[in-house]
Amino acid sequence: MRKEFNFDLSALNTFRMKVRCACFVEYQSVDELSSLDLDSLPKPIKHIGGGSNLLFTGDFPGTILHSAIRYIKYVDLGLDEVPVVVGAGVTWDALVEELCGYGFWGAENLSLIPGEVGAAAVQNIGAYGVEIKDLISGVSCYDLQERRPCKFSVAECGYGYRESMFKESDGRYVITSVLLRVSRKPRPRLEYKGLADVDASSPASVREAVIGIRRSKLPDPSDLGSAGSFFKNPVISAADFVRVCDAAPGETVPHYVLSNGFVKVPAAWLIDRCGFRGEREGGAQVYERQPLVIVNASGEAAPGDILELERRIVASVNERFGVTLSPEVEHI
Ligand SMILES: Cc1cc2nc3c(=O)[nH]c(=O)nc-3n(C[C@H](O)[C@H](O)[C@H](O)COP(=O)(O)OP(=O)(O)OC[C@H]3O[C@@H](n4cnc5c(N)ncnc54)[C@H](O)[C@@H]3O)c2cc1C
């Protein structure tokens, strides 16, 4: 177990915010986690992964918990479906690379998503028509309230679009490992536009194509700090959608009608139409190639720069289109 006080979190958030926490604890096993004297730690307590969906708005006054449970166990029964148990601290993309290298199908569309396996199961990460819930059979946790290990089936995880019951549980459950099922049988998922013509002869070839597409669109956090998509795509009523169209005369507003009649509109389009592509605030900037992403352009952006840019974008989109954007990135 590693425990440090006044710990520098710069390497544990992909925005590269230079922030510190009062206490940092990294554990290697469920036993180490359960032996922690939680009552003696500075509060609040927050568990993080790679910090790729977080914005630290300043120094964190409490304890940051981090998992170093890093094993990958294959339960090879010689069947088409292969169960894999993965420790929560494994880097998600390292896992995908290994699965693709072994020729197992299922995770290749989720290549290059930053972060760790535990958080991937909290966030229900998704890309190119696949979500991690499609692979999950069960999740093992440690219940910080009851102070005991527990397990959830995929149905109990309450998965929806970037949603799960873990997100609603106010940090009660620390995910310690995830049981996934991958397939030996070819199972390419190429229905998403952009993947239709890719070489689907192996999961590794699909992974290569996905990586190529992602690199052309999104900043690599090791070059340019960001937390990926900063805002959620708003879901609005049909009446509100008519108002959005009225505010963009002569333009076709991109949209997707949901089964409940509500309409999803790309936040990137709204932000772009408000003239924010490339806009700067201190060291922060709206990414030129994808206005849904805010980047730490100078490498020295302060949390306040990002918060101010966020405030201006929300106000401007609201004023022009009457739509209130909500952040996808969790503010801490
Ligand atoms: C360039 C870029 C591209 C991205 N592209 C995508 C994409 O295509 N699709 C997508 O879905 N996301 C994407 N993301 C968002 C992000 O990668 C995911 O949300 C990822 O799962 C976050 O993982 P993390 O380990 O960094 O978690 P963190 O950001 O550290 O934490 C996320 C949440 O999980 C909780 N958490 C972390 N670990 C645990 C644990 N073990 N137990 C319980 N709770 C825990 C935290 O408290 C927090 O609430 C992108 C981000 C970036 C920077």
Side-chain angles (χ1 to χ4, degrees), residues 283-330:
Q285 187 176 23
V286 175
Y287 193 49
E288 288 275 4
R289 278 189 255 166
Q290 169 50 276
L292 194 52
V293 176
I294 294 180
V295 295
N296 179 355
S298 66
E300 298 292 330
D305 297 341
I306 291 168
L307 290 171
E308 179 56 15
L309 195 49
E310 174 187 10
R311 189 199 62 72
R312 286 174 52 206
I313 292 170
V314 171
S316 184
V317 168
N318 199 3
E319 190 181 278
R320 172 151 180 207
F321 293 108
V323 173
T324 305
L325 294 180
S326 336
E328 165 84 49
V329 171
E330 187 178 335

mmCIF file of all heavy atoms in Angstrom, residues 283-330:
data_model
loop_
_atom_site.group_PDB
_atom_site.id
_atom_site.type_symbol
_atom_site.label_atom_id
_atom_site.label_comp_id
_atom_site.label_asym_id
_atom_site.label_seq_id
_atom_site.Cartn_x
_atom_site.Cartn_y
_atom_site.Cartn_z
ATOM 1 N N GLY A 283 -5.193 29.756 -20.663
ATOM 2 C CA GLY A 283 -4.472 28.644 -21.301
ATOM 3 C C GLY A 283 -5.387 27.584 -21.883
ATOM 4 O O GLY A 283 -4.916 26.593 -22.449
ATOM 5 N N ALA A 284 -6.711 27.765 -21.745
ATOM 6 C CA ALA A 284 -7.660 26.753 -22.245
ATOM 7 C C ALA A 284 -8.158 27.154 -23.630
ATOM 8 O O ALA A 284 -8.192 28.329 -23.975
ATOM 9 C CB ALA A 284 -8.837 26.630 -21.290
ATOM 10 N N GLN A 285 -8.555 26.138 -24.407
ATOM 11 C CA GLN A 285 -9.022 26.406 -25.770
ATOM 12 C C GLN A 285 -10.035 25.352 -26.204
ATOM 13 O O GLN A 285 -9.910 24.180 -25.830
ATOM 14 C CB GLN A 285 -7.818 26.376 -26.730
ATOM 15 C CG GLN A 285 -8.159 26.803 -28.140
ATOM 16 C CD GLN A 285 -6.929 26.863 -29.042
ATOM 17 O OE1 GLN A 285 -5.925 26.203 -28.775
ATOM 18 N NE2 GLN A 285 -7.020 27.635 -30.106
ATOM 19 N N VAL A 286 -11.015 25.795 -27.018
ATOM 20 C CA VAL A 286 -11.911 24.829 -27.653
ATOM 21 C C VAL A 286 -11.121 24.208 -28.809
ATOM 22 O O VAL A 286 -10.545 24.925 -29.631
ATOM 23 C CB VAL A 286 -13.203 25.517 -28.156
ATOM 24 C CG1 VAL A 286 -14.072 24.524 -28.917
ATOM 25 C CG2 VAL A 286 -13.969 26.135 -26.992
ATOM 26 N N TYR A 287 -11.064 22.867 -28.848
ATOM 27 C CA TYR A 287 -10.215 22.159 -29.819
ATOM 28 C C TYR A 287 -10.673 22.465 -31.237
ATOM 29 O O TYR A 287 -11.871 22.369 -31.543
ATOM 30 C CB TYR A 287 -10.306 20.655 -29.526
ATOM 31 C CG TYR A 287 -9.281 19.811 -30.221
ATOM 32 C CD1 TYR A 287 -7.933 20.140 -30.186
ATOM 33 C CD2 TYR A 287 -9.660 18.649 -30.891
ATOM 34 C CE1 TYR A 287 -6.979 19.335 -30.813
ATOM 35 C CE2 TYR A 287 -8.722 17.833 -31.511
ATOM 36 C CZ TYR A 287 -7.383 18.192 -31.473
ATOM 37 O OH TYR A 287 -6.450 17.387 -32.082
ATOM 38 N N GLU A 288 -9.722 22.844 -32.089
ATOM 39 C CA GLU A 288 -10.051 23.236 -33.480
ATOM 40 C C GLU A 288 -10.738 22.118 -34.240
ATOM 41 O O GLU A 288 -11.669 22.351 -34.994
ATOM 42 C CB GLU A 288 -8.756 23.595 -34.237
ATOM 43 C CG GLU A 288 -8.114 24.902 -33.814
ATOM 44 C CD GLU A 288 -8.724 26.092 -34.543
ATOM 45 O OE1 GLU A 288 -9.677 25.909 -35.314
ATOM 46 O OE2 GLU A 288 -8.244 27.217 -34.289
ATOM 47 N N ARG A 289 -10.265 20.864 -34.035
ATOM 48 C CA ARG A 289 -10.784 19.759 -34.852
ATOM 49 C C ARG A 289 -12.074 19.172 -34.314
ATOM 50 O O ARG A 289 -12.738 18.397 -34.996
ATOM 51 C CB ARG A 289 -9.734 18.644 -34.935
ATOM 52 C CG ARG A 289 -8.687 18.923 -35.979
ATOM 53 C CD ARG A 289 -7.823 17.707 -36.182
ATOM 54 N NE ARG A 289 -6.530 17.880 -35.558
ATOM 55 C CZ ARG A 289 -5.665 16.901 -35.337
ATOM 56 N NH1 ARG A 289 -5.949 15.673 -35.666
ATOM 57 N NH2 ARG A 289 -4.507 17.148 -34.787
ATOM 58 N N GLN A 290 -12.438 19.513 -33.061
ATOM 59 C CA GLN A 290 -13.649 18.944 -32.461
ATOM 60 C C GLN A 290 -14.109 19.866 -31.326
ATOM 61 O O GLN A 290 -13.590 19.807 -30.211
ATOM 62 C CB GLN A 290 -13.346 17.525 -31.946
ATOM 63 C CG GLN A 290 -14.397 16.877 -31.068
ATOM 64 C CD GLN A 290 -15.796 16.922 -31.645
ATOM 65 O OE1 GLN A 290 -16.512 17.934 -31.485
ATOM 66 N NE2 GLN A 290 -16.221 15.856 -32.287
ATOM 67 N N PRO A 291 -15.096 20.727 -31.609
ATOM 68 C CA PRO A 291 -15.470 21.750 -30.622
ATOM 69 C C PRO A 291 -16.125 21.211 -29.346
ATOM 70 O O PRO A 291 -16.398 21.985 -28.431
ATOM 71 C CB PRO A 291 -16.429 22.668 -31.382
ATOM 72 C CG PRO A 291 -16.686 22.048 -32.684
ATOM 73 C CD PRO A 291 -15.785 20.876 -32.892
ATOM 74 N N LEU A 292 -16.336 19.894 -29.290
ATOM 75 C CA LEU A 292 -16.893 19.314 -28.066
ATOM 76 C C LEU A 292 -15.792 19.136 -27.008
ATOM 77 O O LEU A 292 -16.068 18.876 -25.840
ATOM 78 C CB LEU A 292 -17.504 17.948 -28.417
ATOM 79 C CG LEU A 292 -18.421 17.288 -27.412
ATOM 80 C CD1 LEU A 292 -19.512 18.238 -26.979
ATOM 81 C CD2 LEU A 292 -19.032 16.029 -28.013
ATOM 82 N N VAL A 293 -14.557 19.317 -27.452
ATOM 83 C CA VAL A 293 -13.418 19.059 -26.560
ATOM 84 C C VAL A 293 -12.773 20.386 -26.150
ATOM 85 O O VAL A 293 -12.534 21.243 -26.995
ATOM 86 C CB VAL A 293 -12.371 18.174 -27.297
ATOM 87 C CG1 VAL A 293 -11.134 17.962 -26.447
ATOM 88 C CG2 VAL A 293 -12.990 16.840 -27.696
ATOM 89 N N ILE A 294 -12.530 20.531 -24.847
ATOM 90 C CA ILE A 294 -11.751 21.681 -24.369
ATOM 91 C C ILE A 294 -10.359 21.154 -24.030
ATOM 92 O O ILE A 294 -10.223 20.103 -23.393
ATOM 93 C CB ILE A 294 -12.406 22.323 -23.127
ATOM 94 C CG1 ILE A 294 -13.762 22.930 -23.514
ATOM 95 C CG2 ILE A 294 -11.505 23.385 -22.510
ATOM 96 C CD1 ILE A 294 -14.515 23.597 -22.365
ATOM 97 N N VAL A 295 -9.326 21.883 -24.487
ATOM 98 C CA VAL A 295 -7.955 21.405 -24.252
ATOM 99 C C VAL A 295 -7.167 22.396 -23.393
ATOM 100 O O VAL A 295 -7.477 23.594 -23.356
ATOM 101 C CB VAL A 295 -7.199 21.155 -25.590
ATOM 102 C CG1 VAL A 295 -7.836 20.037 -26.385
ATOM 103 C CG2 VAL A 295 -7.089 22.427 -26.430
ATOM 104 N N ASN A 296 -6.160 21.855 -22.729
ATOM 105 C CA ASN A 296 -5.198 22.668 -21.986
ATOM 106 C C ASN A 296 -4.122 23.056 -22.996
ATOM 107 O O ASN A 296 -3.080 22.428 -23.093
ATOM 108 C CB ASN A 296 -4.628 21.839 -20.832
ATOM 109 C CG ASN A 296 -3.602 22.579 -20.010
ATOM 110 O OD1 ASN A 296 -3.218 23.708 -20.336
ATOM 111 N ND2 ASN A 296 -3.138 21.960 -18.943
ATOM 112 N N ALA A 297 -4.429 24.104 -23.790
ATOM 113 C CA ALA A 297 -3.611 24.417 -24.969
ATOM 114 C C ALA A 297 -2.201 24.847 -24.590
ATOM 115 O O ALA A 297 -1.238 24.506 -25.268
ATOM 116 C CB ALA A 297 -4.290 25.508 -25.783
ATOM 117 N N SER A 298 -2.077 25.606 -23.516
ATOM 118 C CA SER A 298 -0.756 26.137 -23.146
ATOM 119 C C SER A 298 0.023 25.134 -22.311
ATOM 120 O O SER A 298 1.212 25.294 -22.111
ATOM 121 C CB SER A 298 -0.939 27.421 -22.339
ATOM 122 O OG SER A 298 -1.565 27.107 -21.100
ATOM 123 N N GLY A 299 -0.681 24.117 -21.808
ATOM 124 C CA GLY A 299 -0.048 23.197 -20.848
ATOM 125 C C GLY A 299 -0.034 23.794 -19.453
ATOM 126 O O GLY A 299 0.322 23.129 -18.488
ATOM 127 N N GLU A 300 -0.422 25.057 -19.348
ATOM 128 C CA GLU A 300 -0.377 25.764 -18.059
ATOM 129 C C GLU A 300 -1.766 26.249 -17.663
ATOM 130 O O GLU A 300 -1.884 27.106 -16.778
ATOM 131 C CB GLU A 300 0.544 27.005 -18.163
ATOM 132 C CG GLU A 300 1.992 26.697 -18.496
ATOM 133 C CD GLU A 300 2.697 25.972 -17.360
ATOM 134 O OE1 GLU A 300 2.324 26.188 -16.205
ATOM 135 O OE2 GLU A 300 3.593 25.158 -17.654
ATOM 136 N N ALA A 301 -2.815 25.761 -18.344
ATOM 137 C CA ALA A 301 -4.163 26.262 -18.043
ATOM 138 C C ALA A 301 -4.497 26.000 -16.581
ATOM 139 O O ALA A 301 -4.159 24.948 -16.025
ATOM 140 C CB ALA A 301 -5.185 25.571 -18.939
ATOM 141 N N ALA A 302 -5.152 26.966 -15.970
ATOM 142 C CA ALA A 302 -5.623 26.798 -14.590
ATOM 143 C C ALA A 302 -7.059 26.287 -14.652
ATOM 144 O O ALA A 302 -7.756 26.525 -15.651
ATOM 145 C CB ALA A 302 -5.562 28.132 -13.869
ATOM 146 N N PRO A 303 -7.524 25.611 -13.595
ATOM 147 C CA PRO A 303 -8.921 25.161 -13.605
ATOM 148 C C PRO A 303 -9.887 26.307 -13.927
ATOM 149 O O PRO A 303 -10.858 26.124 -14.660
ATOM 150 C CB PRO A 303 -9.129 24.645 -12.173
ATOM 151 C CG PRO A 303 -7.770 24.226 -11.712
ATOM 152 C CD PRO A 303 -6.805 25.161 -12.375
ATOM 153 N N GLY A 304 -9.574 27.528 -13.432
ATOM 154 C CA GLY A 304 -10.447 28.688 -13.660
ATOM 155 C C GLY A 304 -10.576 29.020 -15.138
ATOM 156 O O GLY A 304 -11.632 29.503 -15.577
ATOM 157 N N ASP A 305 -9.523 28.792 -15.944
ATOM 158 C CA ASP A 305 -9.594 29.073 -17.391
ATOM 159 C C ASP A 305 -10.638 28.160 -18.029
ATOM 160 O O ASP A 305 -11.447 28.595 -18.863
ATOM 161 C CB ASP A 305 -8.239 28.801 -18.067
ATOM 162 C CG ASP A 305 -7.124 29.697 -17.549
ATOM 163 O OD1 ASP A 305 -7.437 30.747 -16.957
ATOM 164 O OD2 ASP A 305 -5.940 29.337 -17.730
ATOM 165 N N ILE A 306 -10.589 26.876 -17.639
ATOM 166 C CA ILE A 306 -11.516 25.910 -18.238
ATOM 167 C C ILE A 306 -12.940 26.212 -17.776
ATOM 168 O O ILE A 306 -13.884 26.204 -18.574
ATOM 169 C CB ILE A 306 -11.079 24.480 -17.894
ATOM 170 C CG1 ILE A 306 -9.770 24.205 -18.643
ATOM 171 C CG2 ILE A 306 -12.144 23.451 -18.268
ATOM 172 C CD1 ILE A 306 -9.023 22.985 -18.235
ATOM 173 N N LEU A 307 -13.089 26.540 -16.493
ATOM 174 C CA LEU A 307 -14.428 26.834 -15.965
ATOM 175 C C LEU A 307 -15.021 28.071 -16.642
ATOM 176 O O LEU A 307 -16.223 28.121 -16.938
ATOM 177 C CB LEU A 307 -14.361 27.044 -14.449
ATOM 178 C CG LEU A 307 -14.059 25.777 -13.630
ATOM 179 C CD1 LEU A 307 -13.788 26.133 -12.169
ATOM 180 C CD2 LEU A 307 -15.219 24.792 -13.719
ATOM 181 N N GLU A 308 -14.180 29.077 -16.909
ATOM 182 C CA GLU A 308 -14.680 30.297 -17.544
ATOM 183 C C GLU A 308 -15.078 30.024 -18.995
ATOM 184 O O GLU A 308 -16.117 30.508 -19.458
ATOM 185 C CB GLU A 308 -13.604 31.394 -17.444
ATOM 186 C CG GLU A 308 -13.974 32.730 -18.084
ATOM 187 C CD GLU A 308 -15.274 33.356 -17.555
ATOM 188 O OE1 GLU A 308 -15.795 32.936 -16.495
ATOM 189 O OE2 GLU A 308 -15.796 34.270 -18.240
ATOM 190 N N LEU A 309 -14.265 29.223 -19.697
ATOM 191 C CA LEU A 309 -14.620 28.874 -21.083
ATOM 192 C C LEU A 309 -15.927 28.079 -21.089
ATOM 193 O O LEU A 309 -16.815 28.327 -21.911
ATOM 194 C CB LEU A 309 -13.475 28.054 -21.701
ATOM 195 C CG LEU A 309 -13.452 27.880 -23.218
ATOM 196 C CD1 LEU A 309 -13.644 29.197 -23.952
ATOM 197 C CD2 LEU A 309 -12.139 27.232 -23.656
ATOM 198 N N GLU A 310 -16.059 27.160 -20.161
ATOM 199 C CA GLU A 310 -17.300 26.384 -20.034
ATOM 200 C C GLU A 310 -18.486 27.329 -19.802
ATOM 201 O O GLU A 310 -19.522 27.208 -20.456
ATOM 202 C CB GLU A 310 -17.184 25.407 -18.852
ATOM 203 C CG GLU A 310 -18.475 24.670 -18.559
ATOM 204 C CD GLU A 310 -18.414 23.815 -17.287
ATOM 205 O OE1 GLU A 310 -17.440 23.929 -16.512
ATOM 206 O OE2 GLU A 310 -19.361 23.043 -17.078
ATOM 207 N N ARG A 311 -18.324 28.283 -18.886
ATOM 208 C CA ARG A 311 -19.418 29.207 -18.552
ATOM 209 C C ARG A 311 -19.843 30.003 -19.788
ATOM 210 O O ARG A 311 -21.021 30.140 -20.096
ATOM 211 C CB ARG A 311 -18.966 30.157 -17.429
ATOM 212 C CG ARG A 311 -20.067 31.017 -16.846
ATOM 213 C CD ARG A 311 -19.536 32.221 -16.097
ATOM 214 N NE ARG A 311 -18.770 33.142 -16.924
ATOM 215 C CZ ARG A 311 -19.271 33.957 -17.841
ATOM 216 N NH1 ARG A 311 -20.573 33.997 -18.052
ATOM 217 N NH2 ARG A 311 -18.478 34.745 -18.560
ATOM 218 N N ARG A 312 -18.844 30.481 -20.544
ATOM 219 C CA ARG A 312 -19.149 31.294 -21.729
ATOM 220 C C ARG A 312 -19.866 30.461 -22.794
ATOM 221 O O ARG A 312 -20.803 30.933 -23.444
ATOM 222 C CB ARG A 312 -17.851 31.871 -22.306
ATOM 223 C CG ARG A 312 -17.291 33.014 -21.458
ATOM 224 C CD ARG A 312 -15.921 33.472 -21.976
ATOM 225 N NE ARG A 312 -15.937 33.765 -23.374
ATOM 226 C CZ ARG A 312 -14.856 33.697 -24.190
ATOM 227 N NH1 ARG A 312 -13.687 33.358 -23.689
ATOM 228 N NH2 ARG A 312 -14.961 33.974 -25.461
ATOM 229 N N ILE A 313 -19.422 29.203 -22.978
ATOM 230 C CA ILE A 313 -20.061 28.334 -23.985
ATOM 231 C C ILE A 313 -21.519 28.071 -23.590
ATOM 232 O O ILE A 313 -22.442 28.209 -24.402
ATOM 233 C CB ILE A 313 -19.290 27.001 -24.126
ATOM 234 C CG1 ILE A 313 -17.921 27.243 -24.753
ATOM 235 C CG2 ILE A 313 -20.081 25.985 -24.939
ATOM 236 C CD1 ILE A 313 -16.981 26.042 -24.725
ATOM 237 N N VAL A 314 -21.726 27.717 -22.327
ATOM 238 C CA VAL A 314 -23.090 27.389 -21.861
ATOM 239 C C VAL A 314 -24.000 28.609 -22.041
ATOM 240 O O VAL A 314 -25.128 28.494 -22.552
ATOM 241 C CB VAL A 314 -23.064 26.915 -20.384
ATOM 242 C CG1 VAL A 314 -24.480 26.778 -19.832
ATOM 243 C CG2 VAL A 314 -22.325 25.583 -20.272
ATOM 244 N N ALA A 315 -23.494 29.806 -21.662
ATOM 245 C CA ALA A 315 -24.314 31.015 -21.753
ATOM 246 C C ALA A 315 -24.643 31.315 -23.213
ATOM 247 O O ALA A 315 -25.790 31.654 -23.558
ATOM 248 C CB ALA A 315 -23.567 32.190 -21.108
ATOM 249 N N SER A 316 -23.662 31.164 -24.094
ATOM 250 C CA SER A 316 -23.856 31.528 -25.486
ATOM 251 C C SER A 316 -24.832 30.566 -26.187
ATOM 252 O O SER A 316 -25.734 31.003 -26.910
ATOM 253 C CB SER A 316 -22.480 31.512 -26.156
ATOM 254 O OG SER A 316 -22.570 31.937 -27.452
ATOM 255 N N VAL A 317 -24.667 29.260 -25.933
ATOM 256 C CA VAL A 317 -25.570 28.275 -26.557
ATOM 257 C C VAL A 317 -26.989 28.484 -26.021
ATOM 258 O O VAL A 317 -27.972 28.404 -26.764
ATOM 259 C CB VAL A 317 -25.062 26.831 -26.293
ATOM 260 C CG1 VAL A 317 -26.105 25.791 -26.673
ATOM 261 C CG2 VAL A 317 -23.753 26.573 -27.053
ATOM 262 N N ASN A 318 -27.067 28.801 -24.751
ATOM 263 C CA ASN A 318 -28.382 29.026 -24.143
ATOM 264 C C ASN A 318 -29.054 30.258 -24.751
ATOM 265 O O ASN A 318 -30.237 30.242 -25.103
ATOM 266 C CB ASN A 318 -28.208 29.190 -22.624
ATOM 267 C CG ASN A 318 -29.507 28.952 -21.900
ATOM 268 O OD1 ASN A 318 -30.498 28.621 -22.534
ATOM 269 N ND2 ASN A 318 -29.500 29.121 -20.603
ATOM 270 N N GLU A 319 -28.258 31.312 -24.915
ATOM 271 C CA GLU A 319 -28.831 32.560 -25.429
ATOM 272 C C GLU A 319 -29.309 32.384 -26.873
ATOM 273 O O GLU A 319 -30.396 32.800 -27.222
ATOM 274 C CB GLU A 319 -27.759 33.653 -25.361
ATOM 275 C CG GLU A 319 -28.313 35.027 -25.642
ATOM 276 C CD GLU A 319 -27.203 36.060 -25.584
ATOM 277 O OE1 GLU A 319 -26.857 36.492 -24.482
ATOM 278 O OE2 GLU A 319 -26.661 36.400 -26.651
ATOM 279 N N ARG A 320 -28.482 31.709 -27.698
ATOM 280 C CA ARG A 320 -28.873 31.608 -29.116
ATOM 281 C C ARG A 320 -29.914 30.524 -29.370
ATOM 282 O O ARG A 320 -30.846 30.727 -30.142
ATOM 283 C CB ARG A 320 -27.624 31.340 -29.974
ATOM 284 C CG ARG A 320 -27.995 31.048 -31.401
ATOM 285 C CD ARG A 320 -26.978 31.415 -32.428
ATOM 286 N NE ARG A 320 -27.502 31.072 -33.748
ATOM 287 C CZ ARG A 320 -26.772 30.775 -34.793
ATOM 288 N NH1 ARG A 320 -25.459 30.824 -34.699
ATOM 289 N NH2 ARG A 320 -27.328 30.472 -35.941
ATOM 290 N N PHE A 321 -29.745 29.353 -28.703
ATOM 291 C CA PHE A 321 -30.616 28.217 -29.057
ATOM 292 C C PHE A 321 -31.612 27.841 -27.963
ATOM 293 O O PHE A 321 -32.455 26.973 -28.168
ATOM 294 C CB PHE A 321 -29.750 26.984 -29.367
ATOM 295 C CG PHE A 321 -28.913 27.133 -30.610
ATOM 296 C CD1 PHE A 321 -27.536 27.294 -30.531
ATOM 297 C CD2 PHE A 321 -29.507 27.126 -31.861
ATOM 298 C CE1 PHE A 321 -26.770 27.435 -31.673
ATOM 299 C CE2 PHE A 321 -28.739 27.259 -33.014
ATOM 300 C CZ PHE A 321 -27.374 27.417 -32.918
ATOM 301 N N GLY A 322 -31.498 28.436 -26.784
ATOM 302 C CA GLY A 322 -32.407 28.091 -25.684
ATOM 303 C C GLY A 322 -32.145 26.698 -25.130
ATOM 304 O O GLY A 322 -33.019 26.083 -24.506
ATOM 305 N N VAL A 323 -30.936 26.180 -25.358
ATOM 306 C CA VAL A 323 -30.583 24.829 -24.885
ATOM 307 C C VAL A 323 -29.498 24.966 -23.824
ATOM 308 O O VAL A 323 -28.530 25.702 -24.019
ATOM 309 C CB VAL A 323 -30.036 23.976 -26.063
ATOM 310 C CG1 VAL A 323 -29.499 22.643 -25.555
ATOM 311 C CG2 VAL A 323 -31.107 23.763 -27.117
ATOM 312 N N THR A 324 -29.678 24.265 -22.681
ATOM 313 C CA THR A 324 -28.658 24.331 -21.628
ATOM 314 C C THR A 324 -27.764 23.102 -21.714
ATOM 315 O O THR A 324 -28.235 21.979 -21.511
ATOM 316 C CB THR A 324 -29.331 24.396 -20.233
ATOM 317 O OG1 THR A 324 -30.233 25.510 -20.241
ATOM 318 C CG2 THR A 324 -28.296 24.589 -19.134
ATOM 319 N N LEU A 325 -26.493 23.313 -22.019
ATOM 320 C CA LEU A 325 -25.546 22.189 -22.091
ATOM 321 C C LEU A 325 -25.145 21.764 -20.683
ATOM 322 O O LEU A 325 -24.955 22.611 -19.807
ATOM 323 C CB LEU A 325 -24.290 22.601 -22.858
ATOM 324 C CG LEU A 325 -24.456 22.921 -24.341
ATOM 325 C CD1 LEU A 325 -23.101 23.311 -24.939
ATOM 326 C CD2 LEU A 325 -25.045 21.733 -25.105
ATOM 327 N N SER A 326 -25.000 20.454 -20.477
ATOM 328 C CA SER A 326 -24.471 19.973 -19.184
ATOM 329 C C SER A 326 -23.136 19.298 -19.439
ATOM 330 O O SER A 326 -22.951 18.640 -20.472
ATOM 331 C CB SER A 326 -25.346 18.941 -18.507
ATOM 332 O OG SER A 326 -26.641 19.023 -18.906
ATOM 333 N N PRO A 327 -22.223 19.422 -18.458
ATOM 334 C CA PRO A 327 -20.909 18.813 -18.672
ATOM 335 C C PRO A 327 -20.964 17.301 -18.589
ATOM 336 O O PRO A 327 -21.687 16.735 -17.779
ATOM 337 C CB PRO A 327 -20.066 19.389 -17.534
ATOM 338 C CG PRO A 327 -21.043 19.829 -16.499
ATOM 339 C CD PRO A 327 -22.326 20.146 -17.196
ATOM 340 N N GLU A 328 -20.194 16.662 -19.453
ATOM 341 C CA GLU A 328 -19.980 15.202 -19.390
ATOM 342 C C GLU A 328 -18.863 14.938 -18.365
ATOM 343 O O GLU A 328 -18.869 13.933 -17.648
ATOM 344 C CB GLU A 328 -19.557 14.753 -20.802
ATOM 345 C CG GLU A 328 -18.954 13.383 -20.931
ATOM 346 C CD GLU A 328 -20.008 12.314 -21.054
ATOM 347 O OE1 GLU A 328 -20.924 12.471 -21.872
ATOM 348 O OE2 GLU A 328 -19.913 11.319 -20.318
ATOM 349 N N VAL A 329 -17.940 15.890 -18.310
ATOM 350 C CA VAL A 329 -16.770 15.755 -17.431
ATOM 351 C C VAL A 329 -17.179 16.065 -15.990
ATOM 352 O O VAL A 329 -17.853 17.066 -15.731
ATOM 353 C CB VAL A 329 -15.688 16.753 -17.904
ATOM 354 C CG1 VAL A 329 -14.532 16.829 -16.921
ATOM 355 C CG2 VAL A 329 -15.190 16.367 -19.289
ATOM 356 N N GLU A 330 -16.760 15.197 -15.082
ATOM 357 C CA GLU A 330 -17.127 15.385 -13.662
ATOM 358 C C GLU A 330 -16.215 16.447 -13.038
ATOM 359 O O GLU A 330 -15.000 16.380 -13.152
ATOM 360 C CB GLU A 330 -16.933 14.039 -12.950
ATOM 361 C CG GLU A 330 -17.417 14.020 -11.538
ATOM 362 C CD GLU A 330 -17.223 12.616 -10.908
ATOM 363 O OE1 GLU A 330 -17.181 11.602 -11.634
ATOM 364 O OE2 GLU A 330 -17.079 12.579 -9.676
#
